[in-house]
Structure formats: structure tokens, C-alpha cells
Amino acid sequence: MKRAAPAWWTSPRPLWIIVALFAWLLATAWMRPLMAPDEGRYGGVALAMLRSGDWLVPRLDGLPFFHKPPLFYWIGAAAMSVTGPVEWAARLPSVLGGAVAAAALFLFLRRWSTARLAVLSTVVLATTPFFFLGAQFANLDMLVAGCISATVLLAAGAALAREREEPWRALLAGAWLFAAAGLLAKGLIGLVLPAMVIVIWCAATRRLASLRLALWLPGWAVLLAVAGPWFVAMQLRYPEFFDYFVVTQHFRRFASSGFNNEHGFWFYLPVLAGLTLPWFAWVFVPRGSNEGTSDDAARPRLPDIDRLMWIWLAVIVVFFSLPRSKLVGYVLPALPPLAYLIAQRVLASRSLEALLPKVRAMTLAAATVCIGCVVAVMVYSSPPGTRLRLPAGQAVAPGEQVLMLDGYHYEIPFYWDLREPVLVADDWKAAAEDTRDNWRKEIFDASRFDPARAARTLVDRTELADVLCVPHATWVVGSNTAHLANPWLHHAQLVAVNDGLAAWRFKGSATGDPHCLDTAPFPAAVPAPAPHSGANGNG
């Protein structure tokens, strides 16, 4: 008698599933322009790294930018070295982070849980709108989420394998490697959060002997060899690096108020509930009597896996709920364990076999929701400047310069494919006292690491004539009403206008006349408009 083919959930092929995950996340990464400020900032820094040829120092407008480590920029710059400045290359680090998180979850559960639970958990994760859109957004949150997920699952897998006297050293070395990648992706959380999860899990499951794996010297060698050189190089080159990167960007940001996006302790509960629909609705479905039974349920350690996932979820949510400053993307590392717990609830529901067609329908519905979210983002009216591009056939020629008035627009260097830093005109004396987390503070902080370059690129408003009355053209970017406060713009060529932002081409002065900005007064002149704040979502 011919044996029936195994069901789709009992014979997953890891390579094809991982390839499908990556293709699913990458398929729509090109569909919309970069959003300001975050995507423009991180994509622009990656492009600047490529253009400068300096792959060690991340730079914002040519100035050392140490808000975050360089892994995101390395990946983005490497992709753009092949493709040029295109959106999907700028988002590739996030796509890779999402693919790593989902693949690690699948492979771990396939080995230590059941094939059915491994596939369904991965489907839930990959089709959750929060996860899918996080992988479509060019910032550091999904990349570090992938590193954290891989570190936790490889370390847990190493502990389980060691107990069963199976090969475990390669798994543990992989955990240390991804911990190093997490350090290079977003700093200390890439190491601290996985360590907290594993330590608490080992204590809760009485695996205290497994904690000795934290002292495994080859692992520390991997960590130091991969992550150490960049941090050492930056400290040697910039003596203030440690204080700024570690003390300010980690501990002061965590413990202090005054940064943007302050929310209450409860903030991430509705975020997780709302952004994981429709899958989150399964939390309210009654459990059945078939929990823990499946075609291969004989594999042990399901209670320990449950504890791992609950501890992982709790550590991430509680840790990021403590500081006052909260961004939605911070909690992305909590999605893999949440996907597991939801999938487990699906499989534990009453009349499982009758529910399987509904599971497939919900998978299709979740995918539809994801595509709908992407379409909604595409038509969303982004902050000014997101789509300001030069008309076809026009470009900044070699020897010409770009000046931004009263605001730095992160996406302009990316979309204009600029090869040199731009000039930024502002009241930089007042900026020294600005404590708000915005574009001005970012650039001013960066200027402290390279004062000589900052003196050439940061222009005080009173010095505009010195940089504009030169024998070559200057492309000026500012508010579309900037000509009212700067009458000399009436003598410039208006090149592009979009959503409150405009670009002009000012010819300058062939003779270097320092009075080239002098014009007859215009009766319509009004006070300068409020500067574009570039409301910072810095993560």
C-alpha cells in the first residue's frame, strides 16, 4: 500500500524556508521612498561611509556620528557599492535582521520542539504586521532584534545539546558571534539582553551548571576579535568616544528624561497587542485538551522551551518599559517568543484539525494586512523633504556646493547622490545650548569630534555671504517660504518644490563680490519661518 505523503507541517525543508523568508521580507523593500528622519539618516550615513572610503567612522554630513555602532552602515554601504543609492539597499540590514530572527526561531524549534510548532511559529512571526514592517524600515531596531534572537536561541540550544551530550561548541560559538554582531549593531543591549534572558532561564529551570558556559574562553575570544577592534580604534582616535558612546548614549539615555518620545510604563502592552493583529487574537481563544500533542510530541523539553519564551518576552518588554524615552521599534526582539506563544495557543485550541483550514486562512489574512500596511506607508504624507528630488537631467556638478537653510534634511544627500558634505546654516551658538533630541543636537554633538571640518560645514546665518558669494553655484535647500526671509533667493533659480520644501540654484558671484546678497527690500518680507525640526525618532 502506498504511504501517504507527510503533511506540510511535518516535513519542512530548512533551506527553502529560509530562502522564502528572505525573499518575502525583501520583496517590497524597494516600494516606497525613505522616510524622514530615521530612514534618511541611517541610509545617508551608510552612503557617506561608501563615498568617503572610510569604513571605520560613521559620518553624518562628514562629521563623526557615534550615536550607534557601524554594523548597519557596513551592510548598507556594501549593498550600495553594488546597487548605488537605492531604497532596498538602504533597508537590506533590516531585512537581514528579520530573516535571521525568523530563521533562528524556525531552526531552534525544529530541533528542540515539534516540526508543526516550528513552521507555525515562523509563519506567525513572518506575517505579523509589526515584524514585517519593522523589516521594511531602515533603522537599527530590526538588525539588533535579529542578533539578539539568534544569540538567545543559539545559547539555549548549546545548553540543551550539552545536557544531551550532543555537539554544542559550534552553537555556543555562534551565540558569541551574534552577541558580537549585536554589540556592533546597537551597542551594549546586543550583549546584555541575551545574557539576562539566558541567566534567568537557567536559574528558572535549575540549569545552574550551564551558566559556566558564560566563562567559555573561545566564546570571549570570538566576541573580542569581532567587536573589539572597532571600539578600540574609535577610542584611540577620539578620546571622548567612550564618554559619549557608552556613558551618554547608553546610560544617560536610559536613566534620564528630556529625550523625545516619553511614554508611560504601560506603553508596549497596547503596541504589542495592536501591531500583532490578527494573530494576537488567538491569545483569547480557549485552550483545548490536545496541548503538547502532535506528530512528534515525544521530543522532550517543551516546558523548558515555554519558560525560555516567556522569560525572553518579559525581559525585553520590562527592560524597554523602564526608561521614559520609548520608541515602538525597541520592542521588536520580543516578537519571536510572542510568535511561539501564539502558535502554541493555536495548536492547543479545541478541535485542532478543524481549525487548520482557519489557520491557513488567517495566514493569508495576515499577509494581506502586511501588504496593506506597506501600501498605507507608501501613500502616507511623510515629513517635509522626503521626496524632494532634482528634476531629470539636473544634478549637482563637481565643484558646486549644497547649502541647507535652518535645517538638515537627512534624505537629500541620498536622493541627490551627493559625494561631499553639505553646508548647514543655522544659529550654531544657540545650538550649543539646545538639549532637545533633534537634527541640530545630532550635528552639533558630531562637530565636537572634528571641529576643523565642522568649521567648514556649519555656517552661522550671519556668514551666508562668505559661503554664497563665490565663483561657483550653490544649491540651496530650505522651506518653500525661505525666500521671504532671504530676499536674495529671488535672484536664484527655483529648481524643485515638494511638500513644504524647496530647492534653488544660486549662481554666486563670478568676481567673489562680498555684497552679492545685497538686494532691494521686498515689501512681502516676513520673519523667518520656524525651522524644520526633523523630529527625531533616533533609536
Side-chain angles (χ1 to χ4, degrees), residues 31 40 52 73 75 108 162 190 193 211 325 348 358 417 490 520 523:
M31 290 180 63
S52 70
Y73 313 128
I75 299 172
F108 176 83
R162 186 171 177 269
L193 290 181
L211 292 177
S325 177
K358 296 182 180 180
D417 195 13
H490 287 276

Side-chain angles (χ1 to χ4, degrees), residues 320-411:
F320 287 113
S321 296
L322 293 176
R324 297 182 183 180
S325 177
K326 299 178 179 67
L327 290 174
V328 170
Y330 288 174
V331 79
L332 281 170
L335 294 185
L338 182 60
Y340 167 86
L341 295 169
I342 290 174
Q344 187 189 59
R345 177 59 68 97
V346 172
L347 295 179
S349 300
R350 297 189 181 100
S351 303
L352 176 59
E353 296 303 324
L355 285 172
L356 282 177
K358 296 182 180 180
V359 172
R360 296 189 184 99
M362 286 188 65
T363 301
L364 179 61
T368 303
V369 170
C370 290
I371 299 300
C373 290
V374 173
V375 173
V377 170
M378 290 175 62
V379 300
Y380 172 73
S381 178
S382 300
T386 298
R387 297 173 185 170
L388 182 68
R389 308 193 192 191
L390 294 177
Q394 296 200 40
V396 179
E400 296 180 338
Q401 60 188 10
V402 177
L403 172 73
M404 296 188 184
L405 286 172
D406 301 323
Y408 184 80
H409 307 279
Y410 298 94
E411 69 286 348

Side-chain angles (χ1 to χ4, degrees), residues 145-468:
C147 294
I148 290 172
S149 301
T151 303
V152 169
L153 294 171
L154 284 166
L160 295 172
R162 186 171 177 269
E163 288 179 2
R164 294 175 61 119
E165 298 183 350
E166 297 178 0
W168 56 271
R169 290 177 176 82
L171 294 172
L172 189 56
W176 283 102
L177 177 62
F178 275 101
L183 277 172
L184 290 171
K186 208 175 179 182
L188 292 177
I189 64 168
L191 177 63
V192 171
L193 290 181
M196 291 174 62
V197 172
I198 294 299
V199 167
I200 296 173
W201 177 63
C202 287
T205 57
R206 299 181 180 179
R207 285 185 170 84
L208 299 182
S210 296
L211 292 177
R212 291 188 302 222
L213 296 179
L215 304 177
W216 192 52
L217 293 182
W220 282 100
V222 169
L223 180 77
L224 295 176
V226 173
W230 183 79
F231 291 97
V232 172
M234 293 303 96
Q235 181 62 34
L236 292 176
R237 187 179 298 189
Y238 302 100
E240 297 181 5
F241 170 79
F242 181 86
D243 178 74
Y244 183 78
F245 178 79
V246 176
V247 178
T248 297
Q249 292 302 317
H250 285 76
F251 295 103
R252 288 176 186 154
R253 285 188 69 92
F254 188 88
S256 302
S257 60
F259 293 100
N260 291 355
N261 308 294
E262 292 194 8
H263 299 282
F265 184 84
W266 49 265
F267 175 71
Y268 287 116
L269 298 181
V271 165
L272 286 172
L275 295 182
T276 58
L277 290 172
W279 290 111
F280 191 82
W282 280 94
V283 171
F284 304 102
V285 174
R287 283 182 175 273
S289 59
N290 60 339
E291 180 182 1
T293 64
S294 70
D295 55 315
D296 54 356
R299 289 189 181 181
R301 305 192 185 282
L302 283 179
D304 289 347
I305 303 305
D306 293 349
R307 292 191 188 99
L308 174 66
M309 298 301 176
W310 278 112
I311 290 168
W312 180 358
L313 175 64
V315 165
I316 298 299
V317 174
V318 172
F319 180 87
F320 287 113
S321 296
L322 293 176
R324 297 182 183 180
S325 177
K326 299 178 179 67
L327 290 174
V328 170
Y330 288 174
V331 79
L332 281 170
L335 294 185
L338 182 60
Y340 167 86
L341 295 169
I342 290 174
Q344 187 189 59
R345 177 59 68 97
V346 172
L347 295 179
S349 300
R350 297 189 181 100
S351 303
L352 176 59
E353 296 303 324
L355 285 172
L356 282 177
K358 296 182 180 180
V359 172
R360 296 189 184 99
M362 286 188 65
T363 301
L364 179 61
T368 303
V369 170
C370 290
I371 299 300
C373 290
V374 173
V375 173
V377 170
M378 290 175 62
V379 300
Y380 172 73
S381 178
S382 300
T386 298
R387 297 173 185 170
L388 182 68
R389 308 193 192 191
L390 294 177
Q394 296 200 40
V396 179
E400 296 180 338
Q401 60 188 10
V402 177
L403 172 73
M404 296 188 184
L405 286 172
D406 301 323
Y408 184 80
H409 307 279
Y410 298 94
E411 69 286 348
I412 295 295
F414 183 91
Y415 282 118
W416 290 19
D417 195 13
L418 300 181
R419 298 180 179 268
E420 299 292 336
V422 305
L423 306 176
V424 185
D426 195 51
D427 184 356
W428 293 108
K429 293 180 180 178
E433 302 175 359
D434 194 348
T435 59
R436 294 171 299 171
D437 207 13
N438 56 23
W439 69 268
R440 185 180 290 106
K441 179 173 175 55
E442 285 183 354
I443 292 181
F444 185 80
D445 284 355
S447 72
R448 298 187 306 174
F449 292 97
D450 194 345
R453 181 182 288 272
R456 299 193 299 269
T457 57
L458 306 187
V459 180
D460 193 87
R461 292 193 189 107
T462 62
E463 301 171 349
L464 282 175
D466 295 337
V467 298
L468 292 172

